[in-house]
Amino acid sequence: MDLFERCRAFYADPHYAQGLGWPANPRTLEAVGLYPYFIPIERPEGTEAVIQGRRVLMLGSNNYLGLTTHPEVQEAAQTAIRRYGTGCTGSRFLNGTLELHERLEERLARFVGKQRALVFPTGFQTNTGTLAALLGKGDMVVADKEVHASLIDGIRIAHERGTESAFFRHGQVAHLERILRNAPAEQAKLVVVDGVFSMGGDVAPLPEIAAACRRHGARLFVDDAHGLGVLGGGRGTAAQLACTEAVDVIMGTFSKSLASAGGFIAGSREVIHFVQHFARPFMFSASLPPANAATVLACLDVIEREPERVARVNRLADRLREGLRAQGWDVGHSSAAIVPVVIGDQFRTVQAWKALFGAGVYTNAALPPAVPAVRSLLRASCIATHTDAHVERARAAFAALREKVLLRSTQREEVPCST
């Protein structure tokens, strides 16, 4: 068979698309106005945006603290470009290390309470590179079933090199403990979890997980992409739960609360020094552009100076979550800034997304493989610069959605099978 036949089949055969987890192929969804992805934003303005010529309320952003439009943050990026240029044109190993990178790493390590930090060009590379560097033949990695895709890929790379891998049921420490108990005592073990899970918005029980790791000689890696800037006064999930010392490696990204792009890990001096010499995505990628690094430094200044931003984003999210729960929506066990609204059926989910978008509220439609097929959902999130009126507008839109799409819809609309 020709290698590209599956690409043609994805668009031509509806059953093939459904077999890959899609309710229909993207072209069909586009034709009926139900394709929720790759929608160009004409003017992002933080809490609102202009899309297709219409102003909409932005509930689909990870800009949790609203810092992408902060004047001080924008000025820091512009100043860095004027001083350092637009890029480093090389890897950190060669000509790509600036004093700005080292200053950022020192600041990040202090911020999350670790000895050292290492900055990567992207968050995805941070996870894949670090796991592949730390794990070797004969080791064991145990991860929560709902960890981020970048962690899954890092585990796959390690598995191909001889690392044993296992997954425990989401959030169930007893299951994790059974897996660790059955592993040989002499086997090197790493437990991998998210601090705040990106789709469900629930917080990992880190103190209990850390205790299980100590009992069985395992190390603990926490991806805190969605906890950093939101929990623990901005310092993340481990700080919130008073277990920073018990977490061996903390990972964070710059593309959420820190208004930029990139990622980092923080841990002991020895671990960070080892990773920077063996993480291939770090070694063989151009370094983080100066404007990105300067942006993150400026964001850290704002977070430390304006702790009310952290308090406000949580207060707004709680208000939205409580309002939706009162309307009868399933918002799971979410907390922090993420408010998932579980629809269940994939097609109903894109219908609901379209109805909300038509009402001027932008959310994200989360379908498999990001979530289980029966847990397809609309992912909403709050920004510290949202107003109380924004939250009320969102609650009203969801109330209308529940009446229009879920209570009055008794028959599933059929999607055409043609391309």
Side-chain angles (χ1 to χ4, degrees):
M1 184 182 80
D2 178 64
L3 176 65
F4 295 158
E5 174 59 25
R6 63 173 61 94
C7 305
R8 186 202 67 79
F10 180 53
Y11 291 101
D13 184 349
H15 301 294
Y16 188 86
Q18 290 165 6
L20 295 177
W22 283 79
N25 76 61
R27 287 179 181 169
T28 298
L29 292 173
E30 285 176 347
V32 295
L34 292 176
Y35 186 63
Y37 306 120
F38 299 101
I39 299 174
I41 298 175
E42 296 152 32
R43 198 163 68 243
E45 299 174 1
T47 58
E48 295 186 345
V50 176
I51 302 175
Q52 298 176 356
R54 300 172 55 237
R55 183 175 296 278
V56 298
L57 173 61
M58 176 51 70
L59 283 185
S61 173
N62 295 324
N63 181 25
Y64 299 133
L65 298 183
L67 295 179
T68 60
T69 55
H70 194 289
E72 182 180 328
V73 172
Q74 293 181 338
E75 178 58 31
Q78 293 165 5
T79 299
I81 289 175
R82 288 192 293 267
R83 178 174 178 180
Y84 298 102
T86 57
C88 297
T89 71
S91 76
R92 290 285 299 277
F93 256 66
L94 303 174
N95 66 302
T97 294
L98 302 174
E99 58 84 22
L100 189 62
H101 293 124
E102 294 186 334
R103 182 150 46 97
L104 175 58
E105 288 167 344
E106 291 172 4
R107 183 75 178 278
L108 287 165
R110 290 199 307 271
F111 189 72
V112 300
K114 292 299 176 185
Q115 291 179 343
R116 283 195 60 186
L118 185 66
V119 167
F120 285 68
T122 73
F124 203 100
Q125 289 176 318
T126 306
N127 278 338
T128 57
T130 300
L131 293 187
L134 289 176
L135 294 163
K137 186 175 181 179
D139 297 340
M140 182 178 193
V141 58
V142 186
D144 188 292
K145 285 186 66 174
E146 294 189 12
V147 293
H148 191 265
S150 56
L151 294 169
I152 297 293
D153 281 4
I155 290 169
R156 285 174 175 168
I157 294 170
H159 185 76
E160 290 171 358
R161 294 165 48 193
T163 299
E164 183 181 346
S165 60
F167 292 87
F168 65 95
R169 287 187 289 275
H170 179 55
Q172 296 190 20
V173 181
H175 189 209
L176 165 65
E177 184 110 39
R178 284 199 298 275
I179 294 172
L180 293 176
R181 187 184 301 117
N182 291 331
E186 66 277 9
Q187 187 175 38
K189 297 175 280 290
L190 180 68
V191 173
V192 177
V193 299
D194 287 6
V196 176
F197 287 86
S198 59
M199 292 294 108
D202 51 319
V203 176
L206 290 186
E208 293 83 0
I209 291 172
C213 289
R214 287 195 301 272
R215 284 192 290 271
H216 299 282
R219 295 294 187 172
L220 178 56
F221 179 109
V222 176
D223 176 342
D224 211 25
H226 296 274
L228 191 70
V230 178
L231 298 180
R235 287 171 167 77
T237 308
Q240 175 81 13
L241 300 176
C243 61
T244 298
E245 290 297 320
V247 175
D248 297 291
V249 179
I250 294 174
M251 176 271 182
T253 56
F254 305 149
S255 55
K256 281 79 179 174
S257 295
L258 298 178
S260 186
F264 74 97
I265 56 164
S268 70
R269 291 182 181 88
E270 294 80 7
V271 168
I272 300 304
H273 192 255
F274 182 88
V275 171
Q276 74 182 85
H277 287 87
F278 290 96
R280 291 168 66 86
F282 174 82
M283 297 166 63
F284 297 103
S285 294
S287 60
L288 189 75
N292 298 67
T295 292
V296 177
L297 281 166
C299 287
L300 293 173
D301 287 339
V302 175
I303 293 170
E304 292 180 335
R305 191 178 65 243
E306 302 177 14
E308 62 273 14
R309 285 179 179 264
V310 177
R312 178 163 178 80
V313 71
N314 284 282
R315 187 166 61 251
L316 290 171
D318 285 343
R319 186 173 177 179
L320 177 60
R321 188 164 25 244
E322 290 165 5
L324 299 186
R325 187 178 281 122
Q327 293 173 10
W329 295 104
D330 177 1
V331 296
H333 301 287
S334 61
S335 58
I338 299 168
V339 184
V341 179
V342 179
I343 306 298
D345 178 77
Q346 296 177 66
F347 185 73
R348 280 283 178 84
T349 300
V350 293
Q351 278 186 313
W353 169 84
K354 177 67 173 179
L356 275 182
F357 184 70
V361 177
Y362 185 97
T363 60
N364 295 303
L367 307 176
V371 293
V374 295
R375 296 283 292 177
S376 294
L377 57 85
L378 297 178
R379 183 188 183 277
S381 52
C382 287
I383 302 172
T385 46
H386 275 137
T387 65
D388 292 346
H390 283 141
V391 173
E392 290 310 308
R393 178 176 161 190
R395 286 166 58 158
F398 272 101
L401 170 68
R402 188 164 183 83
E403 175 70 16
K404 178 180 179 181
V405 175
L406 296 185
L407 297 184
R408 292 184 179 174
S409 179
T410 57
Q411 292 186 338
R412 174 183 170 128
E413 179 183 335
E414 291 299 324
V415 178
C417 293
S418 63
T419 59

